[in-house]
Amino acid sequence: MSYDTNNIFAKILRGEIPCHKVYEDEHTLAFMDVMPQADGHTLVIPKAPSRNLLDADPAALGALMATVQKVARATRQAFGAEGVLIQQFNEPAAGQTVFHLHVHILPRSTGVALKPHSGKMADHALLAQHAEKIRHALEA
Ligand code: AMP
């Protein structure tokens, strides 16, 4: 399986389609998932192209996980969550639908059920508001 440069996250990285950005550095980008399974559901991607974890350059993973940790902490704080679920899918059989490596960050609290994976498109004004909350927590 090869990397398709026209996948939707590659287009986001090239600025061809918009996203609700929460964080960016030299190696990574974090933005709101448009079909969130929980309030604050964020995705972190490496800028280096890879289809998923299986074909990724190990050298890119340190920066990716450092951003995952940073954004997970901010997301937990921004949403007052008790915990944070980290998910990452590899190939369709494992639930992957977008073929550029990405890590899901899902704030969790007791008694709050997760919505379905790739379920319903969220309101963009709400996503913008959630991104702002996370950016604010990142600055704190
Ligand atoms: P998966 O490949 O199964 O790990 O999930 C891909 C995720 O990307 C799903 O949770 C989708 O809701 C999300 N998604 C798809 N298109 C976009 C987009 N344009 N911007 C942000 N998130 C997206």
Side-chain angles (χ1 to χ4, degrees):
M1 288 290 184
S2 58
Y3 181 79
D4 174 7
T5 55
N6 278 324
N7 75 74
I8 201 139
F9 295 167
K11 288 182 181 175
I12 286 175
L13 280 171
R14 290 196 295 266
E16 292 168 11
I17 62 164
C19 70
H20 296 282
K21 181 160 85 174
V22 302
Y23 176 82
E24 181 170 15
D25 62 22
E26 189 187 349
H27 300 295
T28 63
L29 175 70
F31 53 92
M32 305 311 294
D33 193 305
V34 288
M35 288 176 264
Q37 292 182 255
D39 284 354
H41 183 170
T42 307
L43 300 171
V44 180
I45 67 174
K47 292 187 174 178
S50 74
R51 194 174 152 84
N52 54 43
L53 185 69
L54 304 176
D55 64 332
D57 179 351
L61 300 180
L64 179 67
M65 289 313 288
T67 299
V68 168
Q69 183 190 46
K70 199 184 295 250
V71 175
R73 285 173 170 163
T75 303
R76 183 183 187 202
Q77 189 187 322
F79 290 88
E82 292 168 17
V84 183
L85 173 66
I86 304 298
Q87 285 186 321
Q88 193 276 314
F89 304 98
N90 300 283
E91 300 301 329
Q96 187 177 8
T97 60
V98 176
F99 298 96
H100 179 109
L101 173 59
H102 55 280
V103 178
H104 295 258
I105 296 176
L106 296 140
R108 299 295 319 267
S109 286
T110 310
V112 182
L114 278 187
K115 293 179 205 144
H117 184 58
S118 296
K120 193 165 155 260
M121 188 75 85
D123 175 62
H124 277 280
L126 185 66
L127 289 177
Q129 204 184 313
H130 288 175
E132 173 59 32
K133 276 174 81 157
I134 299 170
R135 285 196 301 269
H136 189 259
L138 278 166
E139 284 161 14

